[in-house]
Amino acid sequence: MNFLEAKWENLIMANYAVDPNVLIPYLPKGVELDSFEGKFYASLVGFMFNKTKIFNVPIPYLGSFEEINLRFYVVRKDGDALKRGVVFINETVPYAPVTWMANYLYKEHYTAIKTKHKWELTDTSKKINYSWKKDKKWNSIQVNAQSNSNSMKTGSVEAFIFEHYFGYTRVNEHKTLEYGINHPSWKINQVIDHSINCDFEEMYGSDFAFLNGQQPDNVILAEGSDISVQWKRNAF
């Protein structure tokens, strides 16, 4: 049974190589940090939630909104299976009821603040902007990209970033929740240039203040698709 169904669109991922020691305090029990070519990534993400349904019921007035989050990448050995997933430092949306539901039901780390977006789409280009207001200051992430899209190459950094199909929530130091995220492999648009204006310390705490002066290793734009999130959570 799916708890959540939606369409995720125009996902920007700004991926920062970080010292793994920064991430270890946020690591849920039972999973390990995942890496790509020796690098450990934290990603600043912006995208649109559209056509959102809870238990197949559309959410009136609240079904379309921006989300901005900071996440990192983990792997769990489950018998013979190797499960690649993500851990969220924080997820930001504009609606307090969405925040309450996610935090109460699933012990997530959502906050509600004002957000907005602007898309400028032409036959040849896509200009995608997501903005969020924290303590009277607007932050933003923006890309200019080509409108034509291509499949991700196996073994690429794009595949590593996007093809983690589990979420892991650190309830406390002794308990972790695991859930599945279902979507097809996404197509990506080549990013021409990008602009990031984020006060990481204000948004995510002093542990991430160093990102204020750091450029991302890469910035990716994915078209997105319909997605579903499983109701069942495995606790361990």
Side-chain angles (χ1 to χ4, degrees):
M1 177 185 297
N2 292 326
F3 163 64
L4 172 71
E5 295 177 1
K7 188 170 186 178
W8 289 354
E9 295 186 89
N10 287 323
L11 297 94
I12 301 175
M13 300 273 188
N15 307 303
Y16 295 82
V18 301
D19 186 328
N21 291 318
V22 173
L23 304 175
I24 287 173
Y26 300 90
L27 194 65
K29 170 182 170 288
V31 302
E32 303 172 10
L33 291 176
D34 201 0
S35 64
F36 178 78
E37 296 183 346
K39 293 184 177 181
F40 298 86
Y41 284 108
S43 298
L44 179 67
V45 182
F47 68 101
M48 280 298 297
F49 254 97
N50 280 317
K51 300 179 180 179
T52 306
K53 298 179 181 179
I54 301 295
F55 295 120
N56 206 35
V57 177
I59 304 177
Y61 308 111
L62 305 180
S64 181
F65 53 89
E66 302 85 2
E67 178 174 320
I68 294 89
N69 65 60
L70 185 68
R71 71 181 201 174
F72 65 94
Y73 303 90
V74 297
V75 63
R76 180 190 178 207
K77 298 174 183 177
D78 186 10
D80 293 331
L82 201 62
K83 297 179 175 179
R84 286 192 154 84
V86 299
V87 175
F88 294 99
I89 301 296
N90 174 271
E91 297 171 82
T92 295
V93 297
Y95 299 133
V98 175
T99 296
W100 178 88
M101 183 177 296
N103 292 344
Y104 178 76
L105 290 178
Y106 286 130
K107 312 303 181 185
E108 295 286 358
H109 309 108
Y110 272 74
T111 56
I113 58 177
K114 190 173 183 179
T115 65
K116 61 184 180 180
H117 75 283
K118 184 177 181 180
W119 294 353
E120 297 179 19
L121 310 177
T122 72
D123 291 340
T124 59
S125 67
K126 301 172 72 170
K127 186 175 182 179
I128 308 297
N129 174 284
Y130 299 105
S131 300
W132 60 101
K133 193 175 186 180
K134 176 69 172 175
D135 294 336
K136 300 181 180 181
K137 178 183 177 182
W138 281 99
N139 298 257
S140 65
I141 183 170
Q142 178 175 296
V143 298
N144 295 319
Q146 295 181 357
S147 61
N148 61 303
S149 59
N150 297 286
S151 299
M152 288 183 283
K153 296 180 180 179
T154 301
S156 66
V157 66
E158 292 88 356
F160 172 80
I161 292 297
F162 284 110
E163 298 193 340
H164 282 71
Y165 292 104
F166 291 89
Y168 293 97
T169 302
R170 186 179 189 270
V171 178
N172 55 47
E173 61 181 319
H174 304 295
K175 184 178 180 181
T176 299
L177 296 180
E178 173 193 82
Y179 56 94
I181 307 167
N182 304 304
H183 64 77
S185 180
W186 289 327
K187 290 189 174 182
I188 57 174
N189 303 97
Q190 183 176 342
V191 173
I192 300 167
D193 57 62
H194 68 271
S195 175
I196 299 170
N197 176 24
C198 177
D199 188 334
F200 284 92
E201 182 173 17
E202 188 68 34
M203 280 294 298
Y204 305 113
S206 59
D207 287 348
F208 297 95
F210 71 95
L211 292 177
N212 286 345
Q214 183 170 324
Q215 291 296 312
D217 264 33
N218 53 76
V219 180
I220 308 168
L221 177 66
E223 291 187 330
S225 70
D226 292 331
I227 66 94
S228 61
V229 178
Q230 295 174 0
W231 166 246
K232 182 180 179 182
R233 257 56 172 176
N234 296 320
F236 56 89

